[in-house]
Amino acid sequence: MEIEVQKVSGTFSLEFLDYFTSVYENVNNVLVQLGPQPASNHSLLVNCHYDSVYESPGASDDAVSCCVMLEMLYVLSKEDKPLVNNIVFNFNGAEENVLQASHGFITQHRWAKNIRAFINMESAGSGGRELLFQTGPENPWLVEAYAQSALYPYGSVVGQDVFQSGVIPSDTDFRIYRDFGNIPGIDVAYISNGYVYHTLFDLPRFIPSGGIQRAGDNMLATLRTLVSSPYLAHPGEYRHGNMVFFDVIGFFMVVYPARIGQILNCFVLLLVVTQLAKKVTGEGSGLSGLPYIQGLLKAFLFTVISWLAVVTVIMTIALSLTALHTPLSWYTHQWVVVGIYFAPGILAILLTHGFFKKNFFKKYGNVWQVESLFFDSSLVIWSVLLAVMTYNNIGSACLALFWVIPHLCRDKVASILNINFKDNHNAFIGIHLLSQAFPGLMSLYMVYTICEMFIPVLGRIGTGFMPDVGAGGIAAVAVIVFMLYQNGVIYVMKTTRKTTSLLLLVFLVTLSLVLFTPVGFPYNGNPEGPSLQRSIFHHVNRKFHDISGKVVKEDSGIWHIPFDYTSKQQTWRNKIPKFRDAPKAECQGAYCGWPYYLPMLSLMQETYYIPTPEHDLEPKTELILMSRRMVNSYTERMTFTLTGPEHIAIYMQLFEKTALTAWSLHSDVPLASKTPAFLSNDTYFVYYSYGTKPEKPFEFWIEIDAPKGQPNTGKIEIAAAGHYWAEGQCITKELREYKAGFPDWTYPVGWPATYESWIL
């Protein structure tokens, strides 16, 4: 066993959030290598991080994973049988600094060259089951090893597609090892109880001991399989190809190569085409030829109209609740989503098709022909979706496959059993429900997982997005999925009055609870089960210089950054006396003239500012222009030094007709941030931090191109924002007084900051 503490410095750019470049000095990794003697040339990496965000104990994110890793290290070190290959345990100390320590290890440590694969253990919640939510790239043997080894598998390619789409504003060390180390791996994370994620309540008491044991059982078994696998050293043909994977309600995991999935999908699509062709040509009973095609198109049209009705009803409710200043009513009580969105969505389906049944299908004497038409149109819809997803190599096509195969067999089973649905309604119900069982159960399982992950996220997704639109959107998609094959059933039912009445009652009762009782209040300050309104605030000193170096503006105050949509509404601000009369912060200067800690301007555009006396904290943030010289007739190099607290953001906003063409931060082309449309000029965000304080100032240069003869109004506005986290620095009297005015159902986190800009 070898143990090292790596102290490392480096830089990289990342297309995450609004895009930025990260610079770090003296961050730490605690590394342990366990392996045979002599050491193998092939290693498996296991990663967690022991750092946490400001003010959070970080029990789940990510201390519990480090505890599991320590226990695995202990167990493996005591075994008599030597390992086939090395295992490197990286307890990294700068993940919350946006993945810095993992970058330092994989790009600079001598053990990194032997890493062939990795396991990353993360958290987006507190305990529960750990979700395998991404794997690869390629190297299908990794997820196969997990599926074979994990005692309690939990993971889905659907989660991988969702996470990698960027919908969730988060990232993990998986990305660093994959993109900068060019190695494959698997990423697992706790996702339950996301309400305490990155808060003061991320405490051990919220992590069930069974969840820790479960993670240990799964990860130790997977670790043993991976480190002894011949594919770790020589993946051969298993180096290429992606996998489709999903667990079946936690009992076992289904895994198959994506290329096999494509063949299977195409074969099933061929069967669908064949079955429908037989109906068109009249080989089956019922409608055929042109009347069948016309009926099928009619059913498809009415199905789409019913979807529009679902979306219209649910979005109307979502927008109305937001307009009535009752958003996020489901945030604490998630069951409210069922009554407020799912029930009216299903009701819209029933009423829409009830209207069509009464007014457009009277000429069909046999209602079972109508049911068959809607059933076939639903099969076509799922088949088209399956074809599109297969063509685009989307692993989540398996979800569409779930809904095609059983229903492809429904009528065939009835034919084999010589059952006529018209004459035997009970048999119809039995066979129809049987065909729904597996896809319905799997889809319900996925919807539950999505809600478990996304509902807490919707409470901190920023002021620019209506969370009820997000929750309503999830509900609308779920209703459409679950009701698609039920559309035809509506046409053979004598009446849907009882069902519609029940759904209407559920909706009205839930709506009444939301509007007139505490149930509709979104937040909960109970320390045993908190679901809090989040925000960040800074005690800011700001200073702006013109092109001559003269200070043209100077102020100080509390800058408040809300994390959710409710803060935009005066009704909600009135509930917080200190926040009630806060004016909106104006956007003026580089990166709007405010000390954003991370590049999140697109998400957090609406902020507020209350003037206060300034603070006087050390060390001062000092960005000093050391020199400027012309490299050629149109390119100027400016050299700077930077000193200050351990977290500093640098913002560079170019003026018209200028371009940042190079810098010393790294050799790649400088990565511009994705800023909102109202910031028309290119902006660059640099995130600088250090662990142990460097012995000398950080020095860097930039090169700017500008056309000859340009008026001397400046080429760039550059600003530095220092953030004071260190003990003794992180609170001022003004911050303490401001925070004291917030109720217990809020979670305001604050620290001092500075912002100073120059035009050069």
Side-chain angles (χ1 to χ4, degrees):
M1 182 188 298
E2 296 181 69
I3 302 174
E4 283 193 17
V5 177
Q6 180 195 27
K7 184 179 291 186
V8 64
S9 304
T11 179
F12 61 97
S13 292
L14 204 61
E15 294 183 357
F16 174 58
L17 299 175
D18 284 353
Y19 297 3
F20 67 103
T21 295
S22 179
V23 180
Y24 57 94
E25 294 192 279
N26 301 336
V27 300
N28 292 340
N29 289 301
V30 180
L31 301 162
V32 182
Q33 180 168 272
L34 189 66
Q37 291 296 330
S40 168
N41 291 325
H42 311 287
S43 302
L44 175 70
L45 171 68
V46 192
N47 181 82
C48 71
H49 66 91
Y50 62 82
D51 65 322
S52 184
V53 297
Y54 176 76
E55 207 175 82
S56 175
S60 183
D61 184 25
D62 191 32
V64 66
S65 296
C66 292
C67 291
V68 171
M69 279 176 51
L70 282 169
E71 186 68 12
M72 292 194 296
L73 174 59
Y74 174 79
V75 170
L76 292 169
S77 67
K78 295 299 182 181
E79 292 183 344
D80 295 330
K81 184 179 179 181
L83 294 171
V84 177
N85 294 298
N86 310 317
I87 304 176
V88 176
F89 295 84
N90 184 9
F91 302 87
N92 95 57
E95 190 271 351
E96 299 296 358
N97 271 18
V98 202
L99 320 178
Q100 291 176 340
S102 56
H103 180 268
F105 168 74
I106 204 63
T107 59
Q108 299 182 49
H109 197 275
R110 69 182 190 283
W111 292 345
K113 67 179 184 298
N114 292 329
I115 302 295
R116 303 290 180 256
F118 67 90
I119 299 173
N120 184 51
M121 300 178 65
E122 255 293 354
S123 177
S126 184
R129 297 189 294 167
E130 75 287 352
L131 174 71
L132 171 61
F133 63 98
Q134 57 181 338
T135 182
E138 299 191 316
N139 286 269
W141 62 276
L142 289 168
V143 70
E144 282 186 328
Y146 173 85
Q148 294 167 7
S149 309
L151 302 180
Y152 316 102
Y154 182 37
S156 171
V157 69
V158 177
Q160 175 173 283
D161 289 341
V162 169
F163 188 83
Q164 293 184 353
S165 71
V167 171
I168 301 175
S170 183
D171 217 330
T172 74
D173 288 318
F174 179 97
R175 179 172 187 160
I176 297 297
Y177 295 132
R178 180 195 65 193
D179 294 353
F180 294 93
N182 297 313
I183 54 176
I186 59 176
D187 210 0
V188 297
Y190 293 109
I191 62 169
S192 296
N193 193 16
Y195 299 108
V196 303
Y197 172 73
H198 281 190
T199 73
L200 192 61
F201 294 96
D202 189 1
L203 299 166
R205 73 169 186 263
F206 289 111
I207 306 173
S209 57
I212 303 174
Q213 183 65 51
R214 170 198 158 90
D217 290 343
N218 282 343
M219 291 299 100
L220 181 58
T222 303
L223 186 63
R224 282 176 167 148
T225 300
L226 289 175
V227 77
S228 60
S229 172
Y231 303 125
L232 182 68
H234 305 289
E237 64 183 31
Y238 288 94
R239 185 186 304 276
H240 301 294
N242 294 309
M243 298 296 285
V244 176
F245 61 94
F246 54 88
D247 71 288
V248 180
I249 323 300
F251 290 107
F252 60 92
M253 180 165 274
V254 176
V255 180
Y256 55 88
R259 63 181 183 278
I260 300 299
Q262 290 182 323
I263 295 171
L264 175 62
N265 296 348
C266 291
F267 177 71
V268 169
L269 290 170
L270 181 61
L271 292 179
V272 172
V273 172
T274 302
Q275 178 170 298
L276 295 177
K278 288 182 178 180
K279 292 191 176 185
V280 172
T281 57
E283 291 187 28
S285 59
L287 292 175
S288 62
L290 185 60
Y292 174 76
I293 295 174
Q294 291 175 335
L296 199 64
L297 291 173
K298 192 175 182 180
F300 172 76
L301 175 62
F302 290 164
T303 297
V304 172
I305 293 174
S306 70
W307 293 353
L308 295 175
V310 170
V311 173
T312 300
V313 167
I314 290 179
M315 288 300 119
T316 299
I317 295 169
L319 295 174
S320 298
L321 289 174
T322 302
L324 291 170
H325 293 188
T326 54
L328 288 162
S329 57
W330 34 265
Y331 186 60
T332 293
H333 306 290
Q334 295 187 12
W335 57 265
V336 169
V337 172
V338 176
I340 211 74
Y341 290 131
F342 279 82
I346 298 172
L347 182 61
I349 291 271
L350 293 176
L351 293 178
T352 302
H353 284 288
F355 174 80
F356 292 150
K357 174 183 177 181
K358 182 178 180 180
N359 294 280
F360 294 96
F361 285 96
K362 288 183 177 179
K363 72 175 185 177
Y364 290 88
N366 184 354
V367 294
W368 292 98
Q369 288 183 347
V370 180
E371 191 280 334
S372 181
L373 287 171
F374 275 93
F375 184 86
D376 287 350
S377 72
S378 300
L379 185 61
V380 170
I381 291 168
W382 277 115
S383 298
V384 169
L385 181 61
L386 177 62
V388 171
M389 297 178 80
T390 301
Y391 178 80
N392 289 283
N393 298 315
I394 299 174
S396 299
C398 63
L399 182 60
L401 188 67
F402 295 162
W403 285 100
V404 172
I405 291 179
H407 300 87
L408 188 62
C409 302
R410 190 196 77 166
D411 291 347
K412 195 68 175 178
V413 170
S415 177
I416 293 172
L417 297 176
N418 198 26
I419 294 174
N420 188 328
F421 289 158
K422 180 180 179 181
D423 300 327
N424 193 336
H425 293 184
N426 290 334
F428 166 75
I429 293 172
I431 293 176
H432 185 76
L433 291 179
L434 187 62
S435 69
Q436 301 276 303
F438 180 73
L441 186 63
M442 290 300 295
S443 297
L444 183 63
Y445 185 55
M446 290 182 186
V447 169
Y448 172 80
T449 300
I450 289 171
C451 288
E452 186 177 36
M453 180 183 296
F454 271 95
I455 284 183
V457 170
L458 288 171
R460 58 176 190 268
I461 204 167
T463 56
F465 181 78
M466 294 184 184
D468 276 73
V469 171
I474 293 172
V477 171
V479 166
I480 288 170
V481 167
F482 286 110
M483 290 299 294
L484 189 53
Y485 280 111
Q486 320 316 321
N487 293 341
V489 179
I490 298 170
Y491 292 83
V492 299
M493 295 174 66
K494 289 183 179 180
T495 179
T496 60
R497 187 171 300 170
K498 290 183 179 179
T499 306
T500 54
S501 298
L502 178 61
L503 289 168
L504 182 60
L505 179 63
V506 168
F507 169 65
L508 292 176
V509 168
T510 308
L511 182 64
S512 299
L513 290 173
V514 166
L515 294 178
F516 305 116
T517 75
V519 168
F521 189 77
Y523 309 110
N524 176 24
N526 183 353
E528 296 306 313
S531 48
L532 306 169
Q533 183 192 48
R534 303 196 193 193
S535 61
I536 286 178
F537 56 92
H538 301 302
H539 185 186
V540 180
N541 294 347
R542 297 197 305 161
K543 191 180 293 185
F544 298 82
H545 301 260
D546 64 14
I547 194 168
S548 68
K550 178 183 176 183
V551 175
V552 293
K553 183 179 180 180
E554 188 172 6
D555 60 29
S556 61
I558 301 294
W559 179 49
H560 189 115
I561 313 170
F563 271 34
D564 67 0
Y565 192 83
T566 59
S567 301
K568 294 179 67 172
Q569 300 176 322
Q570 188 63 47
T571 303
W572 281 95
R573 293 205 298 277
N574 289 341
K575 299 177 187 293
I576 306 173
K578 290 283 186 179
F579 189 34
R580 178 184 301 143
D581 300 320
K584 289 184 181 179
E586 296 181 356
C587 178
Q588 184 179 8
Y591 216 69
C592 276
W594 298 103
Y596 281 89
Y597 177 70
L598 291 173
M600 300 182 71
L601 178 58
S602 296
L603 291 175
M604 312 297 180
Q605 294 183 27
E606 191 155 314
T607 63
Y608 301 84
Y609 191 55
I610 303 171
T612 66
E614 66 178 16
H615 63 75
D616 186 25
L617 295 177
E618 298 288 343
K620 301 297 184 184
T621 303
E622 294 185 328
L623 180 66
I624 300 173
L625 176 63
M626 301 299 293
S627 66
R628 55 191 305 178
R629 64 183 179 85
M630 297 302 296
V631 177
N632 53 47
S633 59
Y634 54 85
T635 301
E636 183 177 15
R637 173 177 290 189
M638 303 178 186
T639 301
F640 301 87
T641 60
L642 178 68
T643 57
E646 62 269 31
H647 298 278
I648 303 174
I650 304 171
Y651 320 107
M652 306 178 201
Q653 188 163 305
L654 299 177
F655 290 164
E656 191 175 355
K657 297 181 180 180
T658 61
L660 179 61
T661 56
W663 56 15
S664 61
L665 301 182
H666 55 65
S667 59
D668 296 337
V669 175
L671 178 67
S673 291
K674 293 192 309 179
T675 52
F678 57 79
L679 291 180
S680 57
N681 295 341
D682 287 346
T683 300
Y684 297 81
F685 191 112
V686 177
Y687 177 86
Y688 170 81
S689 68
Y690 59 80
T692 306
K693 187 172 182 178
E695 296 180 356
K696 59 181 181 179
F698 175 67
E699 182 175 318
F700 68 97
W701 53 260
I702 61 175
E703 290 185 352
I704 299 176
D705 286 2
K708 289 183 178 180
Q710 183 174 353
N712 189 25
T713 55
K715 299 176 180 178
I716 186 173
E717 182 174 2
I718 186 168
H723 292 263
Y724 294 83
W725 278 22
E727 186 175 355
Q729 294 179 337
C730 58
I731 197 70
T732 63
K733 180 174 73 73
E734 289 78 10
L735 285 173
R736 191 180 298 110
E737 291 175 351
Y738 187 69
K739 186 174 182 177
F742 281 71
D744 63 0
W745 45 265
T746 63
Y747 184 68
V749 178
W751 62 85
T754 60
Y755 177 100
E756 189 168 8
S757 74
W758 297 262
I759 295 176
L760 301 173

